[in-house]
Amino acid sequence: MPGSPAPPTSTMTAKSPRDGHRPRARRLLSRLAALLVVGTIALGGAAPAAAETGDGEAEAAEGTVGLAVSTGAGATIEPGGPLVSTITLTNDTDSALGAAAVSLEVNPTPLTDGSAVDTWLDIGTASGAFSTVATEATPEVAAGEAAQISTVVDAVDLGIAQPGVYAVRARLSGAALDDTTTTSLTATTVAVVAAPGERTVAVLVPITATPADGSLLTAQELTELTAQDGALTGQLDAVTGTAAVLAVDPAIPTAIRLLGTRAPQTAIDWLDRLERLPNDIFTLQFADADPTTQVHAKLPAMLGPLDLGPLLQPDDFPASTPGPTPAASPTASAEPELPDNTALAAISGARTDILWPRADVTGGDLTVFDTYLGQPATTILPSTSLDAAAGPHSAVGDSSVLVTDAAASARLSAAAELTELPAIGRELAAAAGHLFFAAEKSDPVLVGLDRSETRSPVALRSLLSTFASPTVGLAALRATPPASATLTGEADATRANALTAMLAGEERLRAFSTVLDVPALMLAPERIRLLRTIAVGVDDETFAADAAARTAHVQDLLGSVSIQRPKPVQLITSAAPLPVWIRNDLPWTVRVLLHSDPSDPRLDIKPVTEVEALAASSTRVDVPIEARVASGEVEVDFRLTSPTGVPIGQPAAADVTLRADWEGIGIGILAGIIALLFVFGLIRTVRRRRQSAADADAVAGDAGADAVAGSAESAATASGAEAASDTATEPGPGAGEGKR
């Protein structure tokens, strides 16, 4: 039987410390995941050192001891067939768990319905008496290790002959954890006994992926998601070869194709694998947005992404091959063929006439869905949204509805998140119990997994292999005669009101985006973020937080371009540039108009200045001003608008103090000083020249006198010499007398 181990006799196996050894941290995480879903504890004779902490778990001084039981990963037992079960004992303490005994007990009184199944598994109570059908010895389990005990109980010993869902539990007693602690545990599960025959179950698997920025997946994110161990690859691996019906978010292929040649090869291969699958596939609304919320917000048409063409890079798309041209004509360069939104989001073979909204759908909403799609829509809803008469294919008025079993879907969704086989098996057994009761009402049965991006590929593969019937697909479900049903859901006005407010914010962004040369750079990603905010998989608490964050984000964008508060300015000239700083926090260059309005007509200023503000920076703008009077106190009001006249940011004012008369006074003083210096220099020059002339005359006079004196002296000298000569020539009386 698929998914059910079937050893021929009762066996017991234990893991030694060397077998399957793993690091302690990994063991702890895996044990905690498993222990979240194991059965109810019954502590008996435990010493104070051991205390109950959860289902199938006892807490010692350090660490925990856990017990889980599985009846074959959800596989059913045919009447008269054996019960195969696996009991798992884990010891995450620092002490060895001593050898003991574990018993397997079955309650021969069948559980009455799905509620009784949940009560038994979640609380541990069931009507009827239990009988022990097997007892096995447990080995000593070393610290940080685990042991598995497999049992096979024959039909004779089992005591179950009629189809039904039966409560099963395992009891561990007398296990010594240390010298003073005795541990007793109980774990619960169910065994499903079904009549022979093929089980017809269809399983819907939604495939979504949310990027970090809420818009489209980036190349790096696609690389990680579609890597060999990536989340999207794991989901595709799990559904390949199964009969799962896939519901794919078209934002995933859009993100891949939008990158063109820059798309990671692993992402291209992933999309190719998806389109080649033989499984039934239909597309969700873009970004998995909820159609019901849009109907309740009274939108005339279903929201979708804005035109993504401006986001495409022509260089990322190969040019088309040019057609034949006349020989005389030069070869024209080919233009790249850019895909439109429809081509970007398309999935080969996927249906587009199916909606899978939230559960709060009312009767009138179904008619609007037809209008949204432009064709008769098939809506997928949980069984909790309709009355008891609903079948897997139901008709609400003239509308077609596919109905999922809510209880079985919840159990399978929980199982898909697990990684430990005992825990997975227990949840699958619980789902099998719910499907048993659902099959009594209708055949086939439809289940739908919750939206999740953290599913375990191992668990998903296991549940699909166990439950998904290859003969049941969308066509078979829709071909089933519909049961007449009535919707019981009520509209959620909270989400509709939040959507209305977010759309009002989008309109403000649309006006604001005119500051960009390409408004789609802002608007297209913001629309996708809005769609993700109202996604079907977002719970109420997360939605409230996301809607508030969305409103705050829009306000941040609207305030990202503004005038920085101007500082008081003093101008001492009649004409000068007035500096104004424009802040731009956007990652794109913006174009705005700076309007300047003085409070007094005495100041003449340029009324409008075109500004190109660079991305993520502050840009200085010099606005020319001119004073019409000597001085004054003037306030200049500044405001920004887009080129189309949309107000941008908040106005700002600058206090300008003009002292233009200082310029005239300064020039007059400077001119006076220059004139004085000129006059002083002129006078000094004249006086210097006169003094020079007088000095020259004096020098000339002195030279003449010296010449006259020299002449006289020369004459006197000459006369003296002549007289001397005469004296020498004519001897006096004395001389003659003497000679004689």
Side-chain angles (χ1 to χ4, degrees), residues 391-473:
H393 183 205
S394 297
V396 179
D398 295 330
S399 300
S400 175
V401 178
L402 297 180
V403 183
T404 63
D405 185 271
S409 298
R411 286 292 182 178
L412 289 178
S413 297
E417 301 293 326
L418 303 175
T419 57
E420 293 291 331
L421 292 180
I424 294 172
R426 183 174 185 272
E427 285 299 323
L428 295 186
H434 283 283
L435 290 174
F436 175 87
F437 294 112
E440 290 183 334
K441 299 178 181 179
S442 62
D443 185 42
V445 178
L446 178 63
V447 295
L449 301 185
D450 293 342
R451 270 72 162 179
S452 174
E453 297 170 18
T454 59
R455 292 192 200 99
S456 163
V458 173
L460 180 59
R461 181 77 179 187
S462 179
L463 72 87
L464 291 176
S465 300
T466 302
F467 296 111
S469 303
T471 58
V472 183

Side-chain angles (χ1 to χ4, degrees), residues 457-739:
V458 173
L460 180 59
R461 181 77 179 187
S462 179
L463 72 87
L464 291 176
S465 300
T466 302
F467 296 111
S469 303
T471 58
V472 183
L474 291 175
L477 287 170
R478 290 157 61 98
T480 304
S484 180
T486 303
L487 291 173
T488 59
E490 296 182 359
D492 184 356
T494 301
R495 295 202 177 208
N497 294 337
L499 175 58
T500 301
M502 288 187 285
L503 288 174
E506 184 182 67
E507 284 302 312
R508 293 194 294 271
L509 276 183
R510 188 182 302 277
F512 173 79
S513 67
T514 54
V515 300
L516 301 175
D517 291 337
V518 184
L521 294 175
M522 174 187 294
L523 296 178
E526 292 303 320
R527 167 56 70 85
I528 297 174
R529 294 186 181 102
L530 184 150
L531 294 175
R532 292 194 188 279
T533 303
I534 62 171
V536 174
V538 177
D539 59 55
D540 292 341
E541 183 179 355
T542 303
F543 175 81
D546 290 350
R550 177 76 199 148
T551 301
H553 177 68
V554 170
Q555 291 300 322
D556 290 342
L557 287 177
L558 294 175
S560 59
V561 178
S562 63
I563 303 171
Q564 291 186 348
R565 183 178 180 85
K567 296 180 179 180
V569 178
Q570 285 197 359
L571 299 177
I572 61 173
T573 62
S574 60
L578 179 63
V580 180
W581 290 89
I582 307 299
R583 176 180 60 86
N584 176 21
D585 293 337
L586 295 175
W588 312 285
T589 297
V590 302
R591 300 183 187 276
V592 293
L593 300 179
L594 176 63
H595 299 264
S596 308
D597 184 21
S599 61
D600 195 307
R602 295 177 298 171
L603 183 66
D604 189 10
I605 188 170
K606 186 177 181 180
V608 180
T609 304
E610 295 183 4
V611 181
E612 182 179 291
L614 300 180
S617 64
S618 294
T619 302
R620 172 171 171 160
V621 182
D622 290 328
V623 182
I625 62 173
E626 183 176 354
R628 297 179 180 177
V629 294
S631 62
E633 299 287 339
V634 180
E635 183 179 83
V636 180
D637 295 325
F638 296 104
R639 60 186 177 88
L640 292 176
T641 66
S642 70
T644 60
V646 177
I648 303 298
Q650 297 297 322
D655 295 325
V656 181
T657 302
L658 294 178
R659 292 291 181 263
D661 51 348
W662 291 359
E663 180 182 19
I665 295 173
I667 292 175
I669 293 174
L670 182 61
I673 293 174
I674 293 174
L676 289 176
L677 291 175
F678 178 76
V679 172
F680 177 76
L682 181 62
I683 294 174
R684 184 178 180 185
T685 300
V686 172
R687 291 183 63 185
R688 182 176 292 177
R689 287 183 178 178
R690 288 180 178 179
Q691 183 64 39
S692 298
D695 292 344
D697 291 343
V699 171
D702 291 342
D706 290 343
V708 173
S711 298
E713 184 177 356
S714 298
T717 302
S719 298
E722 184 178 358
S725 174
D726 290 344
T727 302
T729 304
E730 297 178 3
E737 290 178 358
K739 188 175 180 183

Side-chain angles (χ1 to χ4, degrees), residues 233-242 244 273 456-462 464-465:
T233 300
Q235 300 301 295
L236 210 58
D237 290 343
V239 301
T240 300
T242 71
R273 283 184 61 196
S456 163
V458 173
L460 180 59
R461 181 77 179 187
S462 179
L464 291 176
S465 300

Side-chain angles (χ1 to χ4, degrees), residues 217-495:
L217 294 167
T218 64
Q220 179 61 34
E221 288 172 326
L222 286 170
T223 299
E224 295 174 359
L225 290 170
T226 58
Q228 186 174 1
D229 58 348
L232 287 178
T233 300
Q235 300 301 295
L236 210 58
D237 290 343
V239 301
T240 300
T242 71
V245 178
L246 307 183
V248 183
D249 179 2
I252 299 175
T254 296
I256 297 173
R257 294 193 179 104
L258 188 76
L259 295 172
T261 56
R262 291 186 294 115
Q265 187 60 45
T266 55
I268 297 174
D269 295 341
W270 182 91
L271 183 56
D272 183 64
R273 283 184 61 196
L274 174 67
E275 294 187 319
R276 291 176 180 271
L277 288 177
N279 302 60
D280 286 346
I281 301 176
F282 66 93
T283 57
L284 301 169
Q285 190 184 352
F286 198 95
D288 194 26
D290 178 30
T292 307
T293 301
Q294 299 167 62
V295 174
H296 296 167
K298 296 180 172 54
L299 300 186
M302 194 161 57
L303 296 174
L306 302 179
D307 181 17
L308 300 176
L311 304 185
L312 301 175
Q313 301 295 329
D315 292 342
D316 296 334
F317 297 87
S320 59
T321 304
T325 56
S329 301
T331 302
S333 60
E335 293 293 334
E337 293 183 358
L338 302 182
D340 58 12
N341 281 18
T342 301
L344 290 171
I347 299 176
S348 178
R351 301 184 65 107
T352 59
D353 60 343
I354 298 176
L355 293 178
W356 192 356
R358 282 170 45 84
D360 57 327
V361 176
T362 61
D365 299 343
L366 299 178
T367 303
V368 181
F369 289 163
D370 295 342
T371 303
Y372 279 176
L373 296 183
Q375 59 182 321
T378 298
T379 306
I380 299 174
L381 292 174
S383 55
T384 51
S385 295
L386 298 96
D387 59 11
H393 183 205
S394 297
V396 179
D398 295 330
S399 300
S400 175
V401 178
L402 297 180
V403 183
T404 63
D405 185 271
S409 298
R411 286 292 182 178
L412 289 178
S413 297
E417 301 293 326
L418 303 175
T419 57
E420 293 291 331
L421 292 180
I424 294 172
R426 183 174 185 272
E427 285 299 323
L428 295 186
H434 283 283
L435 290 174
F436 175 87
F437 294 112
E440 290 183 334
K441 299 178 181 179
S442 62
D443 185 42
V445 178
L446 178 63
V447 295
L449 301 185
D450 293 342
R451 270 72 162 179
S452 174
E453 297 170 18
T454 59
R455 292 192 200 99
S456 163
V458 173
L460 180 59
R461 181 77 179 187
S462 179
L463 72 87
L464 291 176
S465 300
T466 302
F467 296 111
S469 303
T471 58
V472 183
L474 291 175
L477 287 170
R478 290 157 61 98
T480 304
S484 180
T486 303
L487 291 173
T488 59
E490 296 182 359
D492 184 356
T494 301
R495 295 202 177 208

